[in-house]
Amino acid sequence: MGTLYIDDQPVEFQPGDNVLDAAKRANIEVPYFCYHPALGAVGSCRVCAMETVPSREGEQPRTVMTCTLKAQDGMRFKFAQSDKAPGVSKTMVEFYMTRHPNDCPVCDEGGDCHLQNMTVEVGHAYRRFDGQKKTYPNQLLGPLVWNTANRCITCYRCVRFYQDYALGDDFGAMGSRNNVLFRRIDDGAFDSPFAGNIITVCPTGTFTDKVFRRKYSRTWMLKKSASICAHCSVGCHVEPGARAGTLRRVVPNENSAVNQYFICDRGRYAPHASEAADRPLQVKVGGQPRQEPALAVLRQALAVSDARWGVMGSGREDVVTNLVLQQLAADLNAPFTAFTDPLTEVRTKTAVNLSLSAPSLQDIEASDCILVVGELTEHAPMMELAVRQALKQGKPVLMLHASASVLAGMIRKQRSLQAQTQAPVLWAETLQKLISQLTQEQADGWAALLKNAKAPVLLGVAEVMPTAVIKALAELAAVIGEHSRLGFALPAANSFGAAQVSQAGSSEQLLTSLESGAINALLVVGADPMSGWQGERWSKALAKIQHLVVVDHIHSATVQAATVVVPSAAVSERNGVFINYEGRVQSFAKAYSRETPVLLQEELIGLLSSDARARVQSQLQSMLGSAMPSPGSAGNRIKPATLPIGQVAEAVLGSGTALVLQGWHGEEEVAGFATELASLTPHDSVGIAPAYAKALGLTLDKNSRLTLSVHGKQLTLPVALSAQIAEGCVAVSRRAFAELQARLGDEVKLTAAIRLSEEPAEQPVVAQFTPVRGDHSNGGVRP
Amino acid sequence: MKNLKNWVGEITGAFSATLKHAFAERDTVCYPAEKPDLPERWRGRIILTVTPEGEERCVACYLCSSVCPSSAITIQGAEREDDERRYAEKFEIDFTRCIFCGLCEEACPTRAIQTTNDFEMGASSRAELVYDKSRLLENHTGKYPDFDYFKRAGVPIRGKDVGEGANEKPPVDVYTLLP
């Protein structure tokens, strides 16, 4: 805390501020391009220059870059420009504009452009230089990001984010001297799950949102709101923008408690599922469209005389909706669950019970030793970006994983021993070994790193961790001590809240009552049981019943099988409350209404009796405690009582080969309906470690195919050899799991199938896992 | 006596003025048989113009609809299939709202939207006064016979790659390391 002076005006600053920060805080409009609060200062744009005021006799005034100068008490600067002597800033902006194209009318950044703002701010209006403009070739960067290289002002923000902040390596500064430009080595989509952020950090229109480009609107015309991302359990703050009743773009909403400045590509592009061509927008009963209001149709459907109901909520629906459904179930005397898979339910609840001291993303970034169990990138990308910040600072990041993961590859590149591949059934054993080492005071290796850390963080991926591993990780946290933080990436945005409203063993109960015929009607809100882990069981059970009422906003398998379909609102079209993986209660606000009205989930309360409404209110009160947080605020964390957990059979260690999940970062129930993002889905393959294949006596190369047999079902897939896959395991995608009707950890029989091509086999490929890009259409792009 | 003088003066004065105007040149014209002669900068019916090559000038930048004080203009942009050239997929002017202030013309960076000196826009329903693109677009360059915005913009379009625009150097070779 201190005071410095800009043009004799006193400016207060906070510890750690640079002069630019202080000036910005005092509302002095200093232009800047290369500085970014999350990326720091490099002083490359030379625009935030000010002149020092000599304090001693004989001292000359100097021009300094305020972003690179730490604020100190009593500093004096001259910033104001005069017409006679334009300041450095104005001259610099004029330089930048000598080769900037006249693109503003066709540039997507126009009206929301840092360069435009700064140019207007310094008062530069006419290009005095009448020479020719330098031009740069554009690059095709896949279906998500659009590049127009001429507009670049070489502030380096994009590479500083992509390489320095997000540790990506397939994009960088190319060329030399004054021919520098920023691009990938080859055309095509970015590898990084965070590539969309270069759109946000770019102060010009060099990188723009290609999905937004296809349905462009000026940003000032968009209807915006403070919303929460619904595509993983981190709960990042986002700002959807909509016009004419359709979603146009999603950008991060800056906040300090959760995701600060960035979001992952799943968060940025998955919400476009609300614009999918097959989205249900019409109330349909028995396939016939109905004109009545959605709620009236639901009421009619629920009043059928011969129906014995079951009710299903979902982890991707908000807290209030799940509570309302729970009370509706009580009114109907029906079983209720918010989970589609008993195994996931048990794992989620076990993880939620142990998440009371879960680290925030900032805690993870500041940690000095992190242990990750499971493939974090593929389940909670932003949590993994926080891990990368610790990794970047050279802090040890230990990882146990079973299938290829981006994070594991990154750790291996730096410190090969800190990522270990192992079948999930063995993780508990490894963690127990660590625990015994820590208790026996003879710690070395991983145990020593965890023991000596001041702020160790343990992270798990609940969906892929057997319950014993979740418990072992908690035990490890307890052994390390009070200063350790334990958190879990949960399967869905509101899994924490869903766990609070479901009874122990609720999904198994609902499933068995359906199978036994105890109930013959099911109301499903925002869930897709037919394509989850128990898809086959659900499909069989649901095929028998007469009434399947589905309320959803995606054209899921369950919607296709439903007798009554009621279209509901996507997250940006409604208000609600999510609880993230830390137990942080965050509410989100509606950004827009669709032209064809859809059922807002808040309206479901209209189905309840007045008693039940009162019960919802009191439960909400007891669950969320104090007042509901306002949208856009950081929310408050709750510490609920321990949940009762049912029993469920886990996979056990067998001598055969186990199936593990090969995820990718853009994958989620709703995200699969966002056309552009889904076009990047890697091709299906079966991942296997070359050493393990050899041990099994299989001779494999990149043209080989393997036939997987599980419980009599067979599937043949091309082989992806990767040393990142655990011994005793083969890794396949969710889609393959569904086709095989298999569950995590199921034993699989492998047989070699006909080769893909008859060409002579080359050397076996032993490489890092590189997802094969889907053949996304260029959308009419010039070749 | 003085009153009488005033009275006579008023009578003769009024009649002489009437007489004078009875034989003076007419300001009104026999519309519609005879068309009025309007100044060139008259702000009448709004049109969308084309470039000298016959391409639509509008790039769907939304500036006209943003500046319109009576919110009469509705636009949705799109990109042309083969070359990403942006155009207005939907362009509507609601002439029941339009106040013919000409701000749209002033804001247009590509000189696409122009006012004309046509004012004969009578219609028998309000719906007919909502002009869509097919009624707005004229195959004419309007007041600017030579102007083509895309020649001056940096984005590539069909027939003009990066570096082929007016006042542009050919693109740099990004692979060269020569000084």
Side-chain angles (χ1 to χ4, degrees):
Chain A
M1 193 72 190
T3 312
L4 52 84
Y5 299 86
I6 298 174
D7 291 336
D8 295 327
Q9 180 194 335
V11 171
E12 301 277 312
F13 63 84
Q14 303 291 327
D17 271 5
N18 54 41
V19 179
L20 179 60
D21 281 328
K24 271 166 69 186
R25 199 166 284 158
N27 290 327
I28 298 173
E29 290 185 338
V30 185
Y32 64 96
F33 292 122
C34 64
Y35 176 72
H36 186 284
L39 308 174
V42 288
S44 74
C45 74
R46 321 307 285 171
V47 171
C48 66
M50 288 190 199
E51 207 169 78
T52 57
V53 177
S55 54
R56 286 191 305 268
E57 193 75 19
E59 193 178 311
Q60 291 296 312
R62 291 179 300 123
T63 300
V64 291
M65 298 305 133
T66 52
C67 68
T68 56
L69 202 63
K70 277 271 164 281
Q72 282 165 24
D73 212 22
M75 282 175 150
R76 283 180 179 273
F77 298 97
K78 191 167 158 289
F79 171 59
Q81 311 172 352
S82 68
D83 288 342
K84 275 185 187 163
V88 178
S89 332
K90 187 170 179 179
T91 322
M92 282 313 298
V93 169
E94 187 169 0
F95 278 144
Y96 285 130
M97 297 307 287
T98 54
R99 77 160 180 83
H100 196 77
N102 294 328
D103 272 358
C104 299
V106 286
C107 175
D108 293 0
E109 197 90 350
D112 195 16
C113 174
H114 198 75
L115 179 62
Q116 252 180 358
N117 295 348
M118 296 300 147
T119 309
V120 172
E121 195 180 299
V122 301
H124 170 70
Y126 292 96
R127 184 174 181 261
R128 288 186 291 168
F129 175 68
D130 59 0
Q132 289 192 314
K133 289 180 179 182
K134 200 167 194 173
T135 59
Y136 293 84
N138 300 335
Q139 191 173 32
L140 291 176
L141 294 171
L144 306 180
V145 182
W146 185 254
N147 173 231
T148 315
N150 285 348
R151 299 173 187 158
C152 182
I153 56 162
T154 56
C155 71
Y156 284 75
R157 271 192 191 186
C158 52
V159 276
R160 279 154 63 214
F161 172 80
Y162 200 89
Q163 295 190 350
D164 302 352
Y165 194 88
L167 305 183
D169 55 8
D170 59 314
F171 169 85
M174 307 280 168
S176 61
R177 56 200 165 82
N178 58 349
N179 281 351
V180 166
L181 80 169
F182 304 92
R183 55 199 267 137
R184 278 170 52 85
I185 297 163
D186 299 312
D187 285 5
F190 290 98
D191 289 346
S192 171
F194 312 102
N197 288 308
I198 64 170
I199 299 165
T200 304
V201 296
C202 179
T204 73
T206 308
F207 297 102
T208 47
D209 187 334
K210 191 166 174 183
V211 181
F212 183 35
R213 182 183 170 84
R214 296 282 171 254
K215 37 192 172 182
Y216 185 66
S217 170
R218 290 285 169 199
T219 52
W220 66 78
M221 302 162 87
L222 296 173
K223 284 186 172 171
K224 299 167 189 169
S225 74
S227 190
I228 301 292
C229 176
H231 302 283
C232 84
S233 61
V234 175
C236 296
H237 288 226
V238 291
E239 185 191 81
R243 190 171 151 248
T246 52
L247 183 73
R248 302 302 176 94
R249 68 158 191 186
V250 174
V251 291
N253 198 359
E254 284 184 20
N255 70 94
S256 55
V258 188
N259 60 316
Q260 289 187 298
Y261 300 98
F262 306 119
I263 50 172
C264 66
D265 283 6
R266 192 201 290 177
R268 191 180 294 262
Y269 297 108
H272 291 284
S274 72
E275 304 310 314
D278 58 358
R279 172 172 177 184
L281 284 171
Q282 173 84 51
V283 181
K284 280 187 179 168
V285 178
Q288 296 305 310
R290 288 289 187 90
Q291 296 310 319
E292 295 104 301
L295 210 59
V297 171
L298 269 181
R299 234 182 242 126
Q300 270 175 30
L302 288 174
V304 182
S305 57
D306 62 334
R308 298 180 300 281
W309 286 96
V311 179
M312 177 181 275
S314 156
R316 63 176 158 89
E317 284 300 337
D318 83 314
V319 178
V320 185
T321 311
N322 277 311
L323 270 176
V324 166
L325 291 172
Q326 190 195 21
Q327 293 310 324
L328 178 67
D331 270 0
L332 293 166
N333 201 14
F336 168 78
T337 185
F339 291 90
T340 60
D341 173 32
L343 192 61
T344 310
E345 180 179 354
V346 166
R347 289 176 178 182
T348 307
K349 284 182 178 173
T350 314
V352 165
N353 279 343
L354 299 168
S355 291
L356 297 184
S357 71
S360 68
L361 295 191
Q362 279 94 314
D363 291 336
I364 300 172
E365 284 173 13
S367 168
D368 56 352
C369 182
I370 301 176
L371 172 63
V372 181
V373 182
E375 298 79 19
L376 194 59
T377 326
E378 287 70 22
H379 288 85
M382 281 308 285
M383 205 189 276
E384 193 254 6
L385 184 62
V387 174
R388 288 186 192 197
Q389 301 318 304
L391 188 67
K392 184 178 79 186
Q393 288 156 26
K395 304 282 171 11
V397 177
L398 316 170
M399 186 170 181
L400 272 181
H401 68 113
S403 62
S405 171
V406 177
L407 180 62
M410 206 161 270
I411 298 170
R412 280 211 167 73
K413 212 176 278 175
Q414 304 195 6
R415 293 175 287 265
S416 57
L417 293 176
Q418 291 185 355
Q420 202 176 329
T421 56
Q422 210 169 38
V425 283
L426 299 171
W427 290 346
E429 209 175 291
T430 311
L431 293 176
Q432 290 298 346
K433 248 183 234 164
L434 275 178
I435 291 168
S436 65
Q437 280 187 16
L438 277 166
T439 46
Q440 285 166 13
E441 303 285 327
Q442 45 152 299
D444 63 337
W446 284 26
L449 289 172
L450 285 168
K451 193 173 183 180
N452 299 332
K454 287 196 180 64
V457 163
L458 309 179
L459 299 173
V461 178
E463 196 179 1
V464 299
M465 290 166 85
T467 325
V469 182
I470 298 178
K471 285 181 181 154
L473 196 62
E475 210 178 310
L476 179 64
V479 169
I480 293 169
E482 288 279 297
H483 60 293
S484 68
R485 309 288 293 265
L486 171 67
F488 293 94
L490 305 174
N494 188 35
S495 286
F496 200 107
Q500 308 295 322
V501 295
S502 307
Q503 299 283 319
S506 60
S507 53
E508 184 63 37
Q509 193 203 338
L510 186 65
L511 198 43
T512 43
S513 358
L514 269 174
E515 282 165 342
S516 68
I519 56 173
N520 64 359
L522 186 66
L523 169 66
V524 180
V525 178
D528 183 14
M530 287 169 70
S531 23
W533 288 117
Q534 295 277 6
E536 184 56 20
R537 250 179 103 188
W538 282 106
S539 303
K540 275 189 192 139
L542 294 179
K544 291 194 300 189
I545 65 173
Q546 295 97 33
H547 310 288
L548 175 58
V549 182
V550 183
V551 181
D552 209 341
H553 70 278
I554 50 171
H555 194 57
S556 64
T558 315
V559 165
Q560 289 169 46
T563 51
V564 178
V565 178
V566 175
S568 66
V571 170
S572 18
E573 297 161 10
R574 53 176 290 216
N575 302 306
V577 190
F578 280 154
I579 308 180
N580 83 344
Y581 76 101
E582 311 165 75
R584 190 186 292 278
V585 183
Q586 302 188 105
S587 56
F588 52 93
K590 176 177 173 171
Y592 67 103
S593 303
R594 291 202 85 80
E595 271 167 7
T596 38
V598 289
L599 178 80
L600 299 179
Q601 282 84 332
E602 298 110 277
E603 294 170 28
L604 286 172
I605 203 160
L607 296 172
L608 295 184
S609 62
S610 55
D611 275 6
R613 282 183 210 192
R615 289 201 299 274
V616 168
Q617 280 309 324
S618 68
Q619 279 216 19
L620 204 58
Q621 190 77 37
S622 66
M623 208 163 129
L624 306 185
S626 53
M628 198 82 92
S630 62
S633 77
N636 38 313
R637 289 184 62 171
I638 53 165
K639 300 211 186 293
T642 309
L643 299 164
I645 303 164
Q647 285 296 318
V648 72
E650 295 265 4
V652 287
L653 184 59
S655 54
T657 308
L659 269 180
V660 293
L661 176 66
Q662 179 60 64
W664 82 284
H665 64 80
E667 178 178 67
E668 190 253 351
E669 212 167 278
V670 178
F673 292 86
T675 325
E676 293 85 3
L677 183 64
S679 71
L680 290 176
T681 310
H683 288 311
D684 268 351
S685 61
V686 46
I688 186 166
Y692 182 60
K694 208 171 169 189
L696 289 177
L698 295 165
T699 327
L700 300 176
D701 58 56
K702 65 177 181 185
N703 293 324
S704 305
R705 294 199 301 168
L706 275 176
T707 302
L708 310 170
S709 338
V710 187
H711 317 312
K713 289 263 185 277
Q714 287 199 338
L715 182 65
T716 304
L717 291 173
V719 164
L721 287 169
S722 165
Q724 272 200 43
I725 295 171
E727 196 184 321
C729 296
V730 287
V732 295
S733 68
R734 263 176 224 269
R735 214 165 27 200
F737 266 101
E739 271 177 54
L740 285 166
Q741 299 171 11
R743 297 173 63 187
L744 283 172
D746 272 354
E747 218 168 285
V748 61
K749 217 170 134 278
L750 301 172
T751 38
I754 309 157
R755 295 163 50 79
L756 280 176
S757 110
E758 291 308 314
E759 289 160 27
E762 290 167 31
Q763 289 295 309
V765 184
V766 187
Q768 298 285 328
F769 174 77
T770 43
V772 185
R773 298 289 175 194
D775 301 328
H776 51 79
S777 81
N778 282 340
V781 174
R782 292 147 67 80
Chain B
M1 195 63 206
K2 198 179 177 186
N3 280 346
L4 184 71
K5 196 177 165 191
N6 280 352
W7 186 73
V8 170
E10 278 168 19
I11 296 272
T12 52
F15 273 110
S16 62
T18 312
L19 267 175
K20 197 176 101 193
H21 282 290
F23 296 101
E25 199 186 338
R26 297 290 189 274
D27 280 339
T28 52
V29 293
C30 292
Y31 180 82
E34 195 183 326
K35 302 292 181 196
D37 186 18
L38 297 178
E40 264 178 44
R41 288 166 61 185
W42 181 267
R43 302 193 299 262
R45 178 171 62 93
I46 294 164
I47 57 163
L48 290 175
T49 59
V50 296
T51 61
E53 281 82 41
E55 302 266 25
E56 282 172 36
R57 269 181 178 153
C58 177
V59 297
C61 73
Y62 295 90
L63 286 185
C64 54
S65 68
S66 299
V67 79
C68 180
S70 54
S71 308
I73 307 178
T74 314
I75 309 174
Q76 178 56 53
E79 288 80 36
R80 198 159 66 182
E81 277 291 306
D82 61 339
D83 66 347
E84 293 277 331
R85 178 179 168 134
R86 186 165 276 165
Y87 68 98
E89 190 179 34
K90 175 181 161 190
F91 199 112
E92 271 181 17
I93 300 183
D94 184 347
F95 280 110
T96 62
R97 301 184 70 113
C98 179
I99 55 167
F100 299 97
C101 63
L103 283 181
C104 49
E105 184 180 24
E106 226 174 283
C108 184
T110 65
R111 297 182 173 168
I113 194 165
Q114 293 182 16
T115 52
T116 62
N117 50 16
D118 174 18
F119 58 90
E120 295 169 312
M121 301 174 67
S124 48
S125 74
R126 284 174 172 270
E128 272 176 68
L129 281 169
V130 180
Y131 280 44
D132 62 7
K133 204 171 133 188
S134 65
R135 294 169 77 192
L136 290 169
L137 188 65
E138 300 280 342
N139 191 14
H140 196 277
T141 54
K143 301 167 200 170
Y144 307 96
D146 304 323
F147 186 77
D148 185 352
Y149 167 74
F150 271 108
K151 281 200 174 138
R152 283 159 180 80
V155 294
I157 54 156
R158 186 199 298 152
K160 187 209 88 169
D161 217 331
V162 172
E164 291 173 1
N167 214 12
E168 278 184 354
K169 284 183 196 166
V172 300
D173 177 3
V174 293
Y175 299 105
T176 183
L177 288 173
L178 294 174

